[in-house]
Amino acid sequence: MVAAANLVEVAALVGDTARATMLAALMGGQALTSSELAYLARVSRPTASEHLLKLVEARLVVVIKQGRYRYYRIGSPLVARMLESIIAVAAIEVPARYQPRSIRDDALRFARTCYDHLAGQVGVAISDALVANGYIVLTDDGGAVTQAGMRFLTGFGTDLRPQGKRIFCRPCLDWSERRYHVAGRVGGEIWRRCLDLGWIIRERDSRALRLTAAAKTGLLETFGVDLTSAGLDRLRQANVSSATEAALRA
């Protein structure tokens, strides 16, 4: 009964439109102020503060005080995974409502942050390349990095030393591509390295990411990711073939 009551409480908190909008914004991985979240949710600042207080009390969000400012972020990776799953179910399992596509929607589908890792076409394309080259394995049951993958990713500049209780490598179902991108420490480190290299620029007030000219060259030379439509189709097919071979070997 206690578990059921807690489930109802969490569902009610996430089910409010304004709070759901705030949580979705925080899934970009950045800490945001109540004013920024109020703007994104299209509510007044006092209303936003009331919503955020409830989210903090339920530990879905944490608040960080810095000087006279308060910044809010997702409470834990567990909360982030819950939200990822809800977004995926809403996008894939629930009958879609008609909504005209916009430039903003297309930008999110192309490249975005998913809490602390890359998602969208770019995130899935990188994961496809890693799978096709035998560097990682992603299945419904979990993810793993091969020895060749450890050498490759270390050479790319990622730090794959275990940290705390964080999952090392796991699949994350991409709601727009409807396939897996890589999450966990491996996904987070790839995201961090792409930022360090100046390949990615965050868009203002959005989870969408903009790729620089250096990214298009770097992704092709490092991962073999060709961001043209034909290139993405070839990579998707290579990923399917490698997954089929792995299943046959098993």
Side-chain angles (χ1 to χ4, degrees), residues 15-245:
D16 178 87
T17 301
R19 290 194 290 268
T21 303
M22 292 178 182
L23 290 168
L26 292 173
M27 282 293 288
Q30 289 181 298
L32 300 174
T33 65
S34 59
S35 296
E36 291 171 321
L37 291 167
Y39 170 77
L40 293 170
R42 298 182 180 179
V43 297
S44 67
R45 291 183 184 179
T47 299
S49 295
E50 291 177 10
H51 285 311
L52 288 167
L53 178 60
K54 292 178 180 178
L55 293 174
V56 170
E57 288 177 344
R59 299 183 183 178
L60 298 182
V61 166
V62 295
V63 58
I64 303 166
K65 296 180 181 178
Q66 189 170 325
R68 61 191 184 91
Y69 294 102
R70 292 187 174 193
Y71 294 90
Y72 296 85
R73 19 186 351 139
I74 296 296
S76 69
L78 179 63
V79 174
R81 290 198 295 275
M82 176 192 72
L83 295 172
E84 286 170 3
S85 298
I86 292 174
I87 292 169
V89 169
I92 298 173
E93 302 295 344
V94 177
R97 300 177 185 175
Y98 173 73
Q99 287 185 329
R101 291 279 287 270
S102 66
I103 294 176
R104 185 185 181 94
D105 291 334
D106 288 340
L108 282 170
R109 289 173 182 274
F110 179 66
R112 65 181 180 275
T113 47
C114 183
Y115 185 48
D116 63 352
H117 53 272
L118 284 167
Q121 283 183 302
V122 173
V124 170
I126 290 174
S127 298
D128 281 349
L130 293 171
V131 170
N133 286 307
Y135 295 148
I136 65 171
V137 178
L138 295 179
T139 70
D140 293 341
D141 297 323
V145 180
T146 65
Q147 297 234 345
M150 289 293 287
R151 291 192 295 270
F152 171 79
L153 290 170
T154 300
F156 177 55
T158 61
D159 179 3
L160 299 183
R161 291 173 294 181
Q163 281 191 352
K165 297 180 180 179
R166 186 177 184 186
I167 295 174
F168 183 67
C169 179
R170 69 177 181 87
C172 181
L173 185 59
D174 196 283
W175 61 259
S176 58
E177 291 297 290
R178 304 193 177 198
R179 293 183 297 119
Y180 290 134
H181 56 250
V182 63
R185 180 155 180 77
V186 173
E189 275 297 295
I190 292 172
W191 155 242
R192 179 196 63 77
R193 186 60 179 148
C194 288
L195 274 178
D196 289 347
L197 291 169
W199 290 1
I200 291 171
I201 298 173
R202 293 179 184 267
E203 295 287 6
R204 182 176 174 81
D205 297 329
S206 173
R207 292 168 59 189
L209 303 169
R210 180 159 49 89
L211 271 62
T212 64
K216 296 173 183 177
T217 302
L219 288 172
L220 183 59
E221 293 179 349
T222 304
F223 295 97
V225 171
D226 177 358
L227 292 176
T228 64
S229 296
L232 291 173
D233 286 340
R234 285 195 300 272
L235 192 53
R236 184 179 298 113
Q237 187 57 47
N239 176 274
V240 171
S241 299
S242 64
T244 302
E245 291 174 5

